[in-house]
Amino acid sequence: MTSIGIYGSAGRMGRAIAQAIEAAGASLAGGADAQDAAGPIAAAADVLVDFSAPGALEDHLLAARATRTPIVVGTTGLRERHQAMIDAAAADIAVLQTGNTSLGVTLLARLVREAAAKLDWDIEIVETHHRHKVDAPSGTALLLGEAAAAGRGSPLSELKVEGRAGLTGARADGTIGFASLRGGSVIGDHTVVFAGEGERIELSHLAQDRTTFAHGAVKAALWLADKPAGRYQMADVLGL
């Protein structure tokens, strides 16, 4: 029986993942939060799942590398320096990093990439989350943006436009716009709009329950547990 350890175990996602582990027939190796040492959980688990905070990621990756424990990183709000840490860790252990563990979002990203490759239309990404979310755009919105940019054959950093306000001028061709809405208890809604002349396609994913992400995270962890060192994505879990 595969044992799974949770970083960020006291949070909403951590609690949901603990329940999903039991439902999947795996075992819970334990959990750790900001006040806890990262090493003991890494040593006790066959695979780790991290839904904590960007500031804790370095310690968690170091603990995972020290014990050669694969890790699923679902923490959002990561920056370039965090991605560099993940790249370094992936030289020693299996690391799956994603902005969203939902299987539906994973498939949506593939559809977005294919549409972006075929259509030279304007692309806008709109995301809505609960009022307590601290990062924007969401990790999922950025994941979808990366998929769209890949379809266009360019890095997202060259195409991304955020926070339009005032006299911004006409929309620049080829850019990918982001809009973030916050309010209430919305778990997560994402829509990618492809707008052409006289027609529009909207590809959407609406999360109705946080357990969607928890079950996906556990599926990813069980898949990752026996993988060799390297960097993986949710698309690998689904064989896309």
Side-chain angles (χ1 to χ4, degrees):
M1 182 183 294
T2 302
S3 63
I4 302 174
I6 305 171
Y7 288 129
S9 58
R12 286 186 291 263
M13 272 302 302
R15 295 193 299 270
I17 289 170
Q19 295 177 348
I21 289 171
E22 181 179 359
S27 65
L28 177 62
D33 292 286
Q35 71 276 12
D36 303 316
I41 296 301
D46 295 320
V47 60
L48 297 159
V49 177
D50 188 348
F51 275 83
S52 56
L57 181 62
E58 183 173 14
D59 286 345
H60 297 165
L61 289 175
L62 289 173
R65 294 174 76 177
T67 56
R68 291 295 192 269
T69 309
I71 183 170
V72 175
V73 178
T75 299
T76 59
L78 303 184
R79 301 302 180 214
E80 288 186 11
R81 63 186 182 86
H82 299 111
Q83 300 297 343
M85 293 175 192
I86 293 171
D87 288 339
D92 297 328
I93 59 174
V95 184
L96 189 154
Q97 185 268 323
T98 180
N100 192 304
T101 53
S102 158
L103 303 184
V105 166
T106 302
L107 182 56
L108 174 61
R110 175 54 62 93
L111 297 175
V112 167
R113 178 172 180 166
E114 293 179 359
K118 299 295 185 182
L119 302 171
D120 62 353
W121 298 359
D122 298 331
I123 301 176
E124 296 285 315
I125 299 174
V126 182
E127 55 100 348
T128 305
H129 281 84
H130 53 84
R131 64 191 305 272
H132 301 290
K133 188 168 180 60
V134 297
D135 57 306
S138 69
T140 302
L142 293 173
L143 180 155
L144 296 172
E146 293 282 2
R152 293 280 166 87
S154 298
L156 180 60
S157 59
E158 295 181 2
L159 306 178
K160 181 171 61 173
V161 175
E162 298 179 26
R164 294 190 187 96
L167 297 174
T168 60
R171 190 185 197 283
D173 290 341
T175 55
I176 299 173
F178 288 82
S180 299
L181 286 67
R182 297 288 179 266
S185 58
V186 180
I187 291 176
D189 295 351
H190 295 83
T191 297
V192 182
V193 180
F194 292 85
E197 293 297 326
E199 57 183 327
R200 185 171 74 248
I201 295 174
E202 297 185 2
L203 301 176
S204 297
H205 179 272
L206 310 179
Q208 300 176 342
D209 194 309
R210 202 175 303 279
T211 58
T212 296
F213 311 121
H215 287 298
V218 171
K219 184 178 181 70
L222 295 174
W223 179 90
L224 190 69
D226 61 354
K227 295 298 181 290
R231 184 159 181 164
Y232 300 91
Q233 302 175 346
M234 282 299 296
D236 299 317
V237 179
L238 294 185
L240 296 176

